[in-house]
Amino acid sequence: MFCHQCQETMRNSGCNAARGVCGKTSETADLQDLVLHACKGIGFWGTKALEKGVWREDAAMFVDRMLFATITNANFAAAKFELWALEALQVRDRLKADYFGAGGTSPATLPDAASWEAKDAGEIRAAAATGKGGWTQVADLDIRALRSLVLYGLKGIAAYAEHAYNLGKSSKELFAFMFRALSALTDDAMSAEALTALVLETGKFGVDAMALLDSANTGAYGSPRVTTVKTGVRDKPGILISGHDLRDLHDLLEQTKGSGVDVYTHGEMLPAHYYPFFEKYDNLYANYGGAWWNQGTEIEKFNGPVLFTSNCLVPPREGYKSRVFTTNVVGFEGCVHVADREPGKMKDFSAIVALAKTCPPPQKLDEPGLSTEIVGGFGHDQVFALADKVVAAVKSGAIKRFVVMAGCDGRQPGRSYYTDVAEKLPKDAVILTAGCAKYRYNRLGLGDIDLSGRNREEAIIEPAIAGGDIDGIPRVLDAGQCNDSYSLALIALKLKEAFGLDDVNKLPLSFDIAWYEQKAVLVLLALLFLGFKDIRLGPTLPGFLSPAVATVLVEKFGIRGIGTAEADVAAIMAGA
Ligand code: SF4
């Protein structure tokens, strides 16, 4: 086992023990590498088949799901990856047959990913045990780092594309890039320069993937608007839903309405409350708890069943494991998995609802010092509607700086840096956030921008979107989930236009981003593609970067690590 894909990797170098920091076993890690190796073979033959005019969306969706399933904290079940490895070889060989069937000729060179064979589970296990497809087989550390950036960016694209697909939106162009990029990862003749270009192209398709999901979510559920979300509990049994998939939430709300069972959001599902469509469900009661890594204690106190719709599953404790349900690509041995929905139907969550009815109501969490409500919903449409007011506040000096603090939260104690930064930023700084990084500061009661003593017109913020309600400009503007970092980029580009600037980096805007898993890698690549520079990235720079590749990111894009909260706040407010 050698896995270095997340921020918590051992020694910021790579997990290479019997179990990774996340709890993934070496057996699962090796099988994941093997599945992805087979997917590179699918990319190879899929690209060639497409050149011959043959396209299989089912193969693309299979690859998409495999990339997503191997994201940190998504699926821990070795047996599942064993089956998927065999299926991947079948998918690959169908595309190979398509290519030759369409008149393709034998390629001059055939990478191992395109040609290796395994007949059964025993051979899959044997191949995985050799480390086939793993990073240790790429000796050049710079090539390994560049390929890592591409592969982890693809995992982010895959995650967003899957949620969009579940809402009926897909993009052949996006999937074709996925195939081409996976195929490129098998090309040992590809130079570092060509791989660097592919890294940036991954960022371009990352923007496309986030735009696709944005249109899927807003098309189905409306544009997020300012919303106040409760955090308490009431005296009814509940179901906790975590992850990012809004379609699953929709199905669950339909199946619980009128049942006497409440639905609570957890972690990255919090922003679902911001979508107007879900307002009609009075059984969508509140958000419960904080970021993903707190789930052990919080699920114990929740008392009812928990549904994980995407990554951010921590290996469940025995005390509540029987209440944990997974769906989509999520999996854990011993937890009940809810099957995919059949075409035109809802997913069947009846087993979860039945279990909930036998459980006591959730226990109120002891959260001293935290606000009892969360205000969010500052997606692009909502902020665009407020643009004149925001611009006026900047021109009058009421807002001195915007600080994008999007990204992930995690367990490392050093992440208290982000709470410290939020608390130390002066009151004329606005934090733009998305992703679960927000839980480090979204309930601190940081208040609103002080508009007193200014024009009345400037001080009154009308409800910008039907249902939205706002009296001032909060100092924490939450756009939503990690994929809603797209909203933050659009907002920055809108501000650039409003101020008549020729370069987005001239805005009074700084980035202080927290990363943990691979979707954050994609968000970073997307920001670089859009031209944003001088991004602070923490709590550590990715361990998968070689010194030379890290230097390129620093010199070309101004990527930098974090320092102390005091020093960074001073530098941010000085525009550095
Ligand atoms: Fe280690 Fe992160 Fe990989 Fe888990 S996902 S094995 S913590 S690097």
Side-chain angles (χ1 to χ4, degrees):
M1 165 183 190
F2 180 81
C3 181
H4 61 179
Q5 67 178 356
C6 82
Q7 190 274 326
E8 291 186 355
T9 194
M10 290 173 183
R11 303 170 298 279
N12 205 34
S13 164
C15 290
N16 58 354
R19 213 176 266 274
V21 174
C22 61
K24 180 167 72 177
T25 63
S26 60
E27 179 191 25
T28 298
D30 290 343
L31 284 161
Q32 288 185 348
D33 287 344
L34 194 70
V35 167
L36 292 179
H37 191 56
C39 286
K40 289 171 196 164
I42 296 174
F44 180 88
W45 289 114
T47 302
K48 293 213 161 296
L50 188 55
E51 285 165 8
K52 293 287 172 195
V54 182
W55 176 248
R56 283 185 184 269
E57 186 165 274
D58 58 342
M61 268 319 291
F62 176 80
V63 167
D64 189 281
R65 288 168 69 87
M66 293 306 97
L67 286 162
F68 194 4
T70 56
I71 274 184
T72 301
N73 291 340
N75 197 311
F76 296 80
K80 199 74 196 165
F81 286 102
E82 182 185 294
L83 291 174
W84 279 332
L86 283 167
E87 189 178 347
L89 293 180
Q90 290 168 1
V91 173
R92 183 198 69 183
D93 292 345
R94 268 202 302 275
L95 285 166
K96 179 180 168 185
D98 285 343
Y99 168 69
F100 285 114
T105 54
S106 292
T109 54
L110 213 50
D112 182 70
S115 59
W116 69 283
E117 302 284 352
K119 289 193 298 294
D120 53 31
E123 290 190 10
I124 289 292
R125 293 273 176 169
T130 67
K132 188 188 260 304
W135 289 117
T136 54
Q137 295 193 335
V138 184
D140 184 312
L141 294 186
D142 297 332
I143 297 296
R144 192 193 285 187
L146 291 166
R147 287 186 182 179
S148 297
L149 278 167
V150 172
L151 183 64
Y152 301 153
L154 289 177
K155 290 189 183 199
I157 289 175
Y160 298 148
E162 210 237 9
H163 297 308
Y165 191 81
N166 290 342
L167 287 167
K169 295 252 184 190
S170 68
S171 160
K172 182 178 172 185
E173 199 188 10
L174 204 58
F175 288 144
F177 172 72
M178 205 178 268
F179 276 6
R180 178 162 58 83
L182 283 168
S183 179
L185 298 183
T186 69
D187 184 356
D188 291 333
M190 199 163 178
S191 66
E193 290 70 31
L195 270 171
T196 304
L198 188 62
V199 168
L200 288 181
E201 200 181 359
T202 306
K204 183 253 177 222
F205 281 97
V207 175
D208 293 352
M210 286 192 276
L212 182 74
L213 180 53
D214 181 77
S215 84
N217 283 339
T218 57
Y221 303 121
S223 283
R225 77 280 188 263
V226 182
T227 307
T228 301
V229 182
K230 294 190 285 294
T231 63
V233 298
R234 64 179 173 184
D235 191 25
K236 286 182 181 179
I239 296 170
L240 193 59
I241 179 167
S242 184
H244 305 73
D245 198 286
L246 298 184
R247 177 74 197 275
D248 284 336
L249 173 68
H250 183 181
D251 287 1
L252 184 62
L253 289 170
E254 277 296 314
Q255 290 170 52
T256 47
K257 71 181 178 190
S259 70
V261 173
D262 284 331
V263 173
Y264 292 76
T265 55
H266 188 265
E268 275 282 76
M269 197 58 85
L270 157 66
H273 294 269
Y274 309 156
Y275 288 85
F277 180 88
F278 295 120
E279 198 176 355
K280 66 186 179 192
Y281 295 101
D282 60 5
N283 55 323
L284 176 59
Y285 185 65
N287 190 67
Y288 189 84
W292 64 272
W293 58 275
N294 287 307
Q295 66 188 255
T297 312
E298 292 169 356
I299 293 176
E300 266 176 3
K301 295 192 169 168
F302 186 75
N303 293 331
V306 187
L307 173 64
F308 284 87
T309 67
S310 62
N311 60 303
C312 298
L313 170 66
V314 173
R317 299 175 184 173
E318 285 307 318
Y320 63 72
K321 191 173 173 184
S322 61
R323 291 191 275 119
V324 171
F325 292 74
T326 60
T327 191
N328 300 321
V329 300
V330 193
F332 196 93
E333 268 134 14
C335 294
V336 176
H337 189 79
V338 178
D340 291 341
R341 58 181 66 76
E342 292 172 23
K345 293 190 177 165
M346 286 195 285
K347 252 182 209 178
D348 181 4
F349 290 132
S350 56
I352 304 179
V353 180
L355 176 60
K357 287 178 176 171
T358 68
C359 295
Q363 193 179 324
K364 188 174 181 315
L365 293 171
D366 187 20
E367 299 173 311
L370 297 185
S371 66
T372 55
E373 293 180 330
I374 299 171
V375 176
F378 294 91
H380 50 82
D381 283 347
Q382 175 70 92
V383 177
F384 289 177
L386 297 171
D388 289 350
K389 304 286 181 184
V390 172
V391 169
V394 173
K395 287 186 173 162
S396 71
I399 295 176
K400 288 271 175 18
R401 201 145 191 95
F402 298 94
V403 188
V404 177
M405 291 178 69
C408 323
D409 198 9
R411 316 167 246 238
Q412 286 191 336
R415 286 181 184 263
S416 58
Y417 160 92
Y418 294 100
T419 307
D420 294 342
V421 167
E423 287 181 325
K424 289 180 192 308
L425 280 169
K427 296 204 179 313
D428 50 16
V430 171
I431 296 170
L432 302 173
T433 193
C436 63
K438 67 169 78 70
Y439 284 104
R440 289 280 170 178
Y441 42 79
N442 71 338
R443 295 176 66 189
L444 296 178
L446 293 178
D448 294 348
I449 288 293
D450 182 6
L451 295 169
S452 60
R454 304 181 194 279
N455 291 337
R456 174 158 174 72
E457 188 191 334
E458 183 187 323
I460 297 172
I461 307 292
E462 300 293 342
I465 290 180
D469 189 11
I470 183 171
D471 295 324
I473 302 176
R475 290 193 51 233
V476 178
L477 301 184
D478 176 19
Q481 298 178 337
C482 54
N483 42 291
D484 295 309
S485 299
Y486 173 71
S487 259
L488 301 182
L490 290 190
I491 289 165
L493 295 170
K494 181 81 174 176
L495 287 174
K496 175 190 137 198
E497 185 188 309
F499 285 108
L501 299 172
D502 60 355
D503 181 353
V504 75
N505 293 295
K506 292 180 182 168
L507 281 169
L509 174 78
S510 300
F511 286 86
D512 197 359
I513 287 183
W515 85 285
Y516 170 68
E517 42 87 330
Q518 298 80 64
K519 285 185 255 181
V521 175
L522 180 74
V523 170
L524 176 69
L525 298 182
L527 290 172
L528 297 185
F529 170 75
L530 289 171
F532 293 99
K533 288 199 162 71
D534 301 329
I535 295 171
R536 277 184 180 75
L537 185 64
T540 53
L541 290 183
F544 58 78
L545 297 177
S546 65
V549 171
T551 301
V552 170
L553 289 177
V554 169
E555 290 179 353
K556 195 162 175 202
F557 300 104
I559 300 270
R560 58 191 77 176
I562 60 170
T564 64
E566 291 81 3
D568 285 357
V569 166
I572 285 167
M573 293 312 293

